[in-house]
Amino acid sequence: MGDSTSTKTPVYLRIEAALGERIARGAYRPGEQLPPEPQLCKEFGVSPMTLRRALARLSDRGLLSAEQGRGTFVRALELGEASFKLRQFTDRWQDDSVDVRLLAASTVRADERVAETLGIPVGERAVFLRRLLLKDEKPMMYHTEYVVFDARRPLVESQLQITSLEGLLQGAGGEGFPEGELTVRVVNLAAAEAALLDQPEGAAAFRLEHAFHDFTGRPVSWGWFLCRADSFLLRTHLGTRRAERGGME
Amino acid sequence: MGDSTSTKTPVYLRIEAALGERIARGAYRPGEQLPPEPQLCKEFGVSPMTLRRALARLSDRGLLSAEQGRGTFVRALELGEASFKLRQFTDRWQDDSVDVRLLAASTVRADERVAETLGIPVGERAVFLRRLLLKDEKPMMYHTEYVVFDARRPLVESQLQITSLEGLLQGAGGEGFPEGELTVRVVNLAAAEAALLDQPEGAAAFRLEHAFHDFTGRPVSWGWFLCRADSFLLRTHLGTRRAERGGME
DNA sequence: TAGTGGTCTAGACCACTTA
DNA sequence: AAGTGGTCTAGACCACTAG
């Protein structure tokens, strides 16, 4: 008597919720062993596969750890298990008040760093792009990007037409490319960057670097976003509570 | 030719790898529909449940999206789907060369901010802790923490005995508490903080804030780590390649 | 209506741990 | 040997989408 989780919810989700609730309330304590699967099957009146589906999800969430031959145990909360989704980082800019202003678009000769990152010879041509992203007229992100020049692929044109953040996030080398790496660092803004972002020189900022590759593994694009410290953060919840749904709060 | 994934690998993992490979090589392109499940079952010679397990994992990884009644489709790579694991953030400090130095341990009267965050009246007693974390004698993180004072729970003592980073990450309010929130921001270091971290004043730094609750949802602990910009970053891979395993690279 | 994915069953067999 | 979790089967029935 308790959970009247609208009867249409799949059984495995209800079991997941029920067990998560017990952990949250302390009925099952960290380190404790859960009842064996056959017993839980009887308790919930389901087949092994269904029960295991619920347990697997709880394990994925880091709440349980199953050890073959020993049992299933409640895991103590570990900071290291936390994971941050980039989506929340940019969610608030996903509306019409966001403006993408193209500051520069040209081809340049690759210097040493660009050449190495893009896997091309020094001096080779590369597309160079700079954008400023504004929300309600206020600058929020400053984007720099280098794209391998390829006459057969009209990347330049499609890139130039990007005027929304969604387009930029998907189009930043991502259009159809299957591999990418992202790195988040923290930096002090240089004078020019700070000025564009309407921040004092040396202000702290996130630096979100991205690199994309094509189907053969060759680099295609490399760049980074500088994000104002006062407008961006990463947040996550650790533990039993259900993950945040939308992202609005 | 190709994958001789040691014959002991479970079938569902081999199917996941095989399909992921096709996406990575461009055999299945973003937006394309996958063959229907019955066909894939025949191709791989497995039962529906096993195939679906592989598909479910690929969906979880963001490579596929299944739509009931329509089909299963290859998803284009989206920046927003990226997720960063905090583990990598701290992994490199998980050895014996890390030293935890206790700078302060006392009880204080909660000021307005502490009181609000910990959910106690202003002026109530709280445990105050400051630690400096060093690696090879070099300061890396600066930790500040407030813990609700509770005479029945000898948190203070157990906290004082923490001398390893592992202990601190698990013990930072985490010991047996089922809920927590983490926030990553970027800040400029104040003079005192910078001095302790051997950085110039105003240097950019990560600020990892943590808040923990007990089984009834009441706040127990609140604090934050300041992390040198040159020693910390968050990195992730987007796309088909298998997620990094250990964290060492 | 035909075809798709989503859930669930009631077992089987295997791998591992503990005693 | 007994008990644990891990994998897998060969179906069933349902919900949804499309023609």
Side-chain angles (χ1 to χ4, degrees):
Chain A
M1 53 180 74
D3 45 22
S4 58
T5 325
S6 72
T7 46
K8 276 210 40 167
T9 309
V11 184
Y12 72 90
L13 288 181
R14 277 185 297 190
I15 296 176
E16 180 190 353
L19 292 176
E21 190 69 14
R22 292 183 196 179
I23 296 171
R25 293 178 187 267
Y28 296 151
R29 294 277 172 148
E32 261 186 45
Q33 182 170 4
L34 250 60
E37 294 182 359
Q39 180 174 331
L40 290 173
C41 284
K42 263 193 297 184
E43 177 184 342
F44 290 107
V46 297
S47 79
M49 275 297 268
T50 303
L51 177 75
R52 304 201 87 263
R53 192 166 176 179
L55 294 179
R57 290 176 57 92
L58 289 163
S59 294
D60 284 347
R61 286 169 55 191
L63 271 65
L64 297 179
S65 82
E67 295 171 48
Q68 198 173 70
R70 299 217 318 124
T72 303
F73 303 85
V74 180
R75 281 177 65 161
L77 190 143
E78 283 175 43
L79 279 194
E81 289 303 308
S83 85
F84 300 93
K85 292 226 163 64
L86 191 60
R87 172 166 308 290
Q88 51 169 347
F89 200 77
T90 51
D91 252 1
R92 316 207 173 168
W93 321 121
Q94 301 279 24
D95 60 49
D96 294 336
S97 61
V98 172
D99 191 27
V100 177
R101 188 171 301 166
L102 193 62
L103 302 183
S106 61
T107 64
V108 296
R109 300 289 168 179
D111 65 17
E112 202 158 309
R113 178 152 190 214
V114 171
E116 185 185 343
T117 313
L118 290 184
I120 58 179
V122 174
E124 188 101 341
R125 273 211 280 180
V127 179
F128 172 73
L129 298 165
R130 272 201 199 283
R131 295 186 182 85
L132 192 63
L133 289 84
L134 305 94
K135 160 122 179 153
D136 299 326
E137 311 292 320
K138 292 194 322 192
M140 288 294 167
M141 283 194 260
Y142 178 44
H143 185 214
T144 303
E145 185 177 18
Y146 295 90
V147 184
V148 171
F149 184 81
D150 182 346
R152 295 165 306 179
R153 188 174 49 215
L155 243 183
V156 196
E157 291 174 23
S158 67
Q159 291 265 347
L160 294 186
Q161 287 162 13
I162 292 171
T163 56
S164 73
L165 179 57
E166 283 127 309
L168 186 54
L169 291 182
Q170 287 180 8
E175 192 79 44
F177 298 123
E179 301 288 337
E181 277 126 37
L182 295 176
T183 308
V184 175
R185 281 187 173 76
V186 29
V187 296
N188 291 96
L189 293 175
E193 300 163 342
L196 278 164
L197 285 173
D198 200 14
Q199 293 276 93
E201 178 174 354
F206 279 107
R207 184 181 186 276
L208 171 63
E209 183 174 332
H210 56 84
F212 291 98
H213 313 279
D214 67 12
F215 289 105
T216 69
R218 275 203 307 267
V220 171
S221 146
W222 171 61
W224 60 90
F225 294 85
L226 294 173
C227 309
R228 279 179 60 148
D230 57 3
S231 303
F232 293 91
L233 58 78
L234 292 166
R235 176 171 291 165
T236 194
H237 189 90
L238 209 58
T240 49
R241 218 179 57 185
R242 291 301 296 139
E244 327 80 293
R245 297 222 162 223
M248 308 176 248
E249 53 187 22
Chain B
M1 51 183 75
D3 45 21
S4 57
T5 325
S6 71
T7 46
K8 277 209 41 169
T9 309
V11 184
Y12 72 90
L13 288 180
R14 278 186 296 193
I15 296 176
E16 179 189 355
L19 293 176
E21 192 68 14
R22 292 181 196 177
I23 296 171
R25 293 178 186 269
Y28 296 152
R29 294 277 173 147
E32 263 187 46
Q33 183 170 5
L34 249 60
E37 295 182 359
Q39 181 174 332
L40 289 173
C41 284
K42 263 193 296 184
E43 177 185 341
F44 290 107
V46 296
S47 79
M49 274 298 269
T50 303
L51 177 77
R52 304 202 85 263
R53 192 165 174 181
L55 294 179
R57 290 175 60 92
L58 289 163
S59 295
D60 283 348
R61 287 169 55 191
L63 271 64
L64 297 179
S65 82
E67 295 171 47
Q68 197 173 73
R70 297 218 320 125
T72 304
F73 302 86
V74 180
R75 282 179 63 161
L77 191 143
E78 282 175 44
L79 278 194
E81 289 302 309
S83 84
F84 300 93
K85 291 226 163 64
L86 191 61
R87 173 167 303 292
Q88 51 170 346
F89 200 78
T90 51
D91 251 3
R92 314 206 175 172
W93 321 122
Q94 300 280 22
D95 59 48
D96 294 335
S97 61
V98 173
D99 191 28
V100 177
R101 188 171 303 167
L102 193 62
L103 302 182
S106 61
T107 64
V108 297
R109 301 288 167 181
D111 64 18
E112 202 158 309
R113 180 153 187 213
V114 171
E116 184 185 345
T117 313
L118 290 184
I120 58 179
V122 174
E124 189 101 342
R125 272 212 282 179
V127 179
F128 171 73
L129 298 165
R130 273 201 199 284
R131 295 186 183 86
L132 193 62
L133 289 84
L134 306 96
K135 161 121 178 152
D136 299 326
E137 311 292 320
K138 292 194 322 195
M140 289 293 167
M141 284 194 257
Y142 179 44
H143 185 216
T144 303
E145 185 176 18
Y146 295 89
V147 184
V148 171
F149 184 81
D150 183 344
R152 295 165 306 175
R153 189 172 49 214
L155 243 184
V156 195
E157 291 174 22
S158 69
Q159 291 265 350
L160 293 186
Q161 288 162 12
I162 291 171
T163 57
S164 72
L165 179 56
E166 284 126 309
L168 184 54
L169 291 182
Q170 288 182 7
E175 192 78 44
F177 298 123
E179 301 286 339
E181 278 125 35
L182 295 175
T183 308
V184 174
R185 286 192 173 82
V186 30
V187 295
N188 291 96
L189 293 175
E193 301 162 342
L196 279 164
L197 286 173
D198 200 13
Q199 292 276 92
E201 180 174 356
F206 280 107
R207 184 180 187 277
L208 170 63
E209 183 174 335
H210 56 85
F212 291 97
H213 314 279
D214 67 12
F215 289 102
T216 68
R218 274 202 307 267
V220 171
S221 146
W222 170 61
W224 60 90
F225 294 85
L226 294 173
C227 309
R228 281 179 61 148
D230 57 3
S231 304
F232 294 89
L233 57 78
L234 292 166
R235 174 172 290 164
T236 195
H237 189 89
L238 210 58
T240 49
R241 219 179 58 184
R242 290 302 294 138
E244 328 80 291
R245 297 222 158 221
M248 307 175 250
E249 53 187 21

